[in-house]
Amino acid sequence: MISIEKNQEIKTAISAIMQSMFDQRNYLADILEYLEKPLTPGMEKKVETILKKYGMPGESLALDERVLTENPYFKNIRLDKIETPTVKYSKDIIPKRTLMNTDFNRQLGKYLFHYHPVGYFNIDLEMPSLKEGNITWMSPAPSEIISMGDGVEKGTGKCLTMGLGIGLLPYLWLLKDEVESVTVIEHNKDVIDLFNKVILPQFNTSKSLEIIHGDAFEYFTDEFLNRFDYAYIDFWESNEDGLVDYIRLMEKKVTLPHIDFWIEESILSLAKQIVALYLITLYQGRSITEFIASLDEDNRRLARKANKFFKKRTEVISTEEELLYLIHDRKLLRELLSVPVSM
Ligand SMILES: C[S@@+](CC[C@H](N)C(=O)[O-])C[C@H]1O[C@@H](n2cnc3c(N)ncnc32)[C@H](O)[C@@H]1O
């Protein structure tokens, strides 16, 4: 079993990790009151004070409209209101000065404080989206465009994505000279039919776009993924359902270098909290069994994976750097999440 030395450096690091988790919880509670509401000048001042209090980057909350207006998808593709038995395209007006998340969780500092960047536009925005019941699968909103930026940039040769949505990523890939073809796996036939009817005719491309009706988990194999030069997996709505799907994918133990996962940093921020709490419990010499039992079902599964993973390791952790490596290293976390545990 891994062990954590009781020295001053580790003691200080553990208090800093715990403080960063409290700060994150307090930040979320503070900012929630203002999100998705048009800001009055007074509210804007309060939001700025909150951002300053937690050491957030960025000077102004007012966003540059060009993030949207110069995005080729937002500019060129129209989604008319239309419904199928399971999904629909709809259009919402986002009033000017509405405070919104502009990206998913990002780490700030070296511990466990993660935050959503926020901002507003000075114009009313007509925002189309793909909805299935209460789930908004996709819209060309700043948070989607910004969080997908890396995946767009890395697309080259034969590209694969899992999750069609409104075809934002396929469209941006097809515009790139380096991209030869795009393949998409989508499990909802209505999403595919709607896309073929409304969106595809607006794609002005001679390159191959193949949409396969199927389940992402079935296609997530070495053999299939190796047919492509780059793959971007994006079939979840946010980090919470994303973590559940991401763990299922990790359990398949595919470790290819050319695959990325949408909002992976944000998804892992949830797993890191449990890994950190597990290591703190170990350091404090408290009962791991009681710690695991105190968690809800999803987190219990995560903690059991951490327990099985760290039980097999034998190193002694004696510095902050070594401790933070166990919490933050992406390769290590992917391996930890791939550990099988019974339900
Ligand atoms: C967030 S959207 C994808 C957005 C897309 N990247 C885009 O650029 O528009 C997620 C999509 O994944 C699909 N989906 C959900 N679970 C799936 C699964 N198990 N297999 C395949 N597709 C799935 C949903 O129907 C939805 O169309």
Side-chain angles (χ1 to χ4, degrees):
M1 169 66 107
I2 202 162
S3 65
I4 307 173
E5 210 174 278
K6 286 202 163 21
N7 64 34
Q8 191 52 47
E9 184 173 335
I10 294 285
K11 192 174 166 202
T12 311
I14 287 196
S15 336
I17 292 167
M18 285 168 77
Q19 186 59 48
S20 68
M21 286 196 274
F22 289 131
D23 286 348
Q24 167 157 1
R25 216 172 37 199
N26 293 337
Y27 165 68
L28 288 176
D30 288 352
I31 201 79
L32 201 65
E33 197 182 322
Y34 301 95
L35 273 178
E36 283 163 32
K37 287 176 198 140
L39 294 186
T40 61
M43 287 158 85
E44 182 169 4
K45 285 246 156 3
K46 287 191 179 143
V47 171
E48 280 166 357
T49 310
I50 294 171
L51 301 188
K52 219 182 226 154
K53 176 175 161 195
Y54 293 96
M56 233 73 96
E59 278 112 50
S60 165
L61 290 174
L63 301 166
D64 187 341
E65 282 116 62
R66 284 175 300 181
V67 181
L68 290 177
T69 54
E70 287 185 6
N71 180 276
Y73 189 100
F74 194 86
K75 209 158 64 177
N76 301 334
I77 308 294
R78 293 281 142 257
L79 269 67
D80 296 326
K81 279 188 188 174
I82 180 165
E83 286 195 31
T84 73
T86 66
V87 286
K88 61 176 180 186
Y89 294 150
S90 55
K91 275 185 190 156
D92 298 313
I93 299 290
I94 304 177
K96 65 179 174 188
R97 295 184 60 84
T98 299
L99 191 69
M100 60 180 97
N101 290 327
T102 56
D103 197 355
F104 286 79
N105 265 352
R106 285 192 202 156
Q107 189 182 333
L108 184 66
K110 59 179 170 173
Y111 302 112
L112 277 175
F113 186 85
H114 289 76
Y115 74 105
H116 288 99
V118 290
Y120 64 76
F121 290 105
N122 266 317
I123 49 167
D124 290 342
L125 275 179
E126 193 182 72
M127 185 62 71
S129 63
L130 167 69
K131 292 187 177 148
E132 181 175 0
N134 292 332
I135 303 174
T136 298
W137 276 124
M138 192 60 189
S139 67
S143 59
E144 302 286 354
I145 290 170
I146 293 169
S147 62
M148 228 177 244
D150 265 8
V152 174
E153 201 155 297
K154 286 167 84 174
T156 186
K158 295 188 177 66
C159 291
L160 168 75
T161 188
M162 296 187 176
L164 174 62
I166 55 173
L168 171 67
L169 178 64
Y171 183 72
L172 297 177
W173 271 347
L174 288 166
L175 291 178
K176 290 181 64 176
D177 288 342
E178 309 90 294
V179 172
E180 199 182 307
S181 66
V182 174
T183 302
V184 185
I185 309 296
E186 168 60 48
H187 76 162
N188 186 333
K189 183 78 171 54
D190 289 340
V191 171
I192 298 176
D193 290 347
L194 212 51
F195 174 84
N196 283 337
K197 190 169 166 192
V198 178
I199 298 178
L200 185 61
Q202 302 179 63
F203 279 25
N204 201 355
T205 181
S206 53
K207 295 179 192 172
S208 153
L209 170 61
E210 187 188 4
I211 300 174
I212 300 174
H213 180 213
D215 182 13
F217 293 103
E218 278 172 31
Y219 284 87
F220 195 79
T221 63
D222 286 273
E223 192 278 316
F224 184 71
L225 292 158
N226 266 327
R227 294 186 204 169
F228 301 91
D229 298 299
Y230 181 63
Y232 193 80
I233 314 301
D234 172 14
F235 61 90
W236 34 85
E237 189 195 7
S238 72
N239 54 3
E240 280 163 24
D241 63 322
L243 178 60
V244 177
D245 291 339
Y246 180 84
I247 290 175
R248 269 185 77 187
L249 295 176
M250 291 304 119
E251 286 171 348
K252 298 194 81 174
K253 296 191 184 289
V254 171
T255 55
L256 297 169
H258 67 297
I259 310 171
D260 285 321
F261 302 87
W262 178 60
I263 61 168
E264 187 178 18
E265 183 180 347
S266 183
I267 287 174
L268 285 177
S269 73
L270 302 174
K272 287 178 186 183
Q273 306 237 0
I274 298 302
V275 171
L277 290 173
Y278 173 88
L279 293 169
I280 292 170
T281 306
L282 198 66
Y283 167 80
Q284 292 172 336
R286 290 186 290 118
S287 160
I288 294 290
T289 314
E290 278 174 27
F291 163 67
I292 295 176
S294 72
L295 300 168
D296 66 32
E297 196 180 322
D298 285 344
N299 285 328
R300 205 178 309 140
R301 194 154 150 255
L302 264 172
R304 287 172 61 215
K305 282 177 182 278
N307 194 30
K308 213 163 158 188
F309 178 77
F310 287 121
K311 262 187 176 165
K312 285 213 175 108
R313 294 175 77 109
T314 52
E315 71 259 46
V316 179
I317 302 302
S318 57
T319 65
E320 176 182 86
E321 194 184 341
E322 288 166 355
L323 184 62
L324 290 179
Y325 172 80
L326 298 180
I327 294 173
H328 288 307
D329 185 70
R330 188 166 290 191
K331 192 161 168 274
L332 180 143
L333 288 170
R334 284 182 175 186
E335 210 182 311
L336 183 154
L337 295 176
S338 77
V339 170
V341 289
S342 51
M343 295 299 274

